[in-house]
């Protein structure tokens, strides 16, 4: 499966049981989060030493309720803590990751 170009294509990929192997790790982490698999997403994000990895890590800890840890990861990514709804933030992260893959 090719790397999605749009959020809709990304959403369509959620019908599969796992993300395609050729996807960037950052997109795989977001895919697992979109599927509700916090652990799998975290396993990938904690090993991504990139701004997107830090943002994904921050989002995961915010969802978990660990605001102190989330704030640390937002700072690592050069961003400020946000309190927008989780779903909205996840969509923004996915869209940002998709822009970075084109």
């Amino acid at each position: 499966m090719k790397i999605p170009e749009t959020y809709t294509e990304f959403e369509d990929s959620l019908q599969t049981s796992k993300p395609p192997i050729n996807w960037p790790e950052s997109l795989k982490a977001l895919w697992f989060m979109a599927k509700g698999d916090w652990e799998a997403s975290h396993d990938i994000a904690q090993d991504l030493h990139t701004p997107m990895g830090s943002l994904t890590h921050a989002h995961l800890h915010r969802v978990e309720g660990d605001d102190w840890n989330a704030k640390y990861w937002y700072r690592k990514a050069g961003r400020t803590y946000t309190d927008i709804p989780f779903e909205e933030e996840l969509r923004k992260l996915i869209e940002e990751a998709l822009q970075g893959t084109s």
Side-chain angles (χ1 to χ4, degrees), residues 56-98:
T56 302
H57 208 163
H59 173 77
L60 289 162
H61 285 294
R62 193 168 80 86
V63 168
E64 180 187 36
D66 185 352
D67 290 346
W68 181 88
N69 207 352
K71 289 174 184 176
Y72 168 82
W73 287 105
Y74 282 114
R75 284 192 306 275
K76 290 279 288 185
R79 304 276 178 97
T80 56
Y81 182 85
T82 184
D83 61 358
I84 63 173
F86 299 136
E87 298 80 15
E88 182 181 339
E89 181 184 29
L90 181 58
R91 181 179 178 130
K92 287 181 180 211
L93 291 174
I94 291 165
E95 289 172 342
E96 188 173 332
L98 293 174

Side-chain angles (χ1 to χ4, degrees), residues 5-57:
E5 295 180 13
T6 65
Y7 183 78
T8 301
E9 288 178 6
F10 178 88
E11 277 188 313
D12 291 345
S13 77
L14 298 173
Q15 301 305 312
T16 62
S17 62
K18 58 185 176 179
I21 197 162
N22 65 318
W23 282 16
E25 292 299 300
S26 58
L27 197 55
K28 290 178 188 176
L30 293 166
W31 186 91
F32 280 112
M33 189 60 205
K35 290 281 277 192
D37 190 338
W38 190 97
E39 289 292 333
S41 182
H42 188 262
D43 286 347
I44 296 170
Q46 70 183 352
D47 291 330
L48 291 176
H49 306 290
T50 64
M52 182 53 70
S54 293
L55 283 172
T56 302
H57 208 163

